[in-house]
Amino acid sequence: RLSVVLSEVIQAFSVPENAARMEEARESACNDMGKMLQLVLPVATQIQQEVIKAYGFNNEGEGVLKFARLVKMYETQDPEIAAMSAKLKSLLLPPLSTPPIGGTIPAS
């Protein structure tokens, strides 16, 4: 069942070794979205691959993409999968900083 695999993927991010790898990649990226894609995404992909390969998904990036598409397809039908999907996304993406209310975004 997809929720079991998704749960295991989320748990894999809390394994101390994986959490340390993600933290190191995030610190190196310094909240720069381009660097996040270069440094954090590959680590996150590897962590997911380690889990999903046991469920028959390809051990390449394509397996993670298929898994993500499957999750997306079911998250509209199953609130449990939707909640776990949101949790996984929060582990992968940095929190977005929002400008103060009434404030303006400075021109760069």
Side-chain angles (χ1 to χ4, degrees):
R1 212 178 114 121
L2 185 60
S3 60
V4 172
V5 182
L6 196 49
S7 176
E8 285 187 28
V9 168
I10 291 167
Q11 288 174 359
F13 281 93
S14 63
V15 171
E17 175 190 321
N18 291 338
R21 289 169 55 201
M22 285 293 289
E23 185 60 32
E24 184 180 323
R26 277 196 188 98
E27 285 176 8
S28 297
C30 300
N31 265 353
D32 177 303
M33 192 48 91
K35 287 184 180 177
M36 293 292 276
L37 293 173
Q38 283 181 312
L39 303 171
V40 178
L41 191 61
V43 173
T45 300
Q46 286 174 346
I47 293 169
Q48 290 179 72
Q49 283 173 336
E50 290 164 11
V51 175
I52 66 174
K53 70 182 178 186
Y55 294 92
F57 287 91
N58 181 330
N59 196 26
E60 302 293 318
E62 187 180 319
V64 173
L65 290 174
K66 283 184 179 177
F67 175 68
R69 282 194 293 267
L70 198 59
V71 169
K72 187 133 189 81
M73 191 169 80
Y74 282 97
E75 69 186 3
T76 57
Q77 302 166 17
D78 186 330
E80 180 187 12
I81 289 176
M84 286 193 286
S85 176
K87 168 89 171 140
L88 180 59
K89 286 175 189 161
S90 75
L91 293 170
L92 302 178
L93 300 171
L96 297 173
S97 56
T98 54
I101 296 175
T104 58
I105 299 172
S108 51

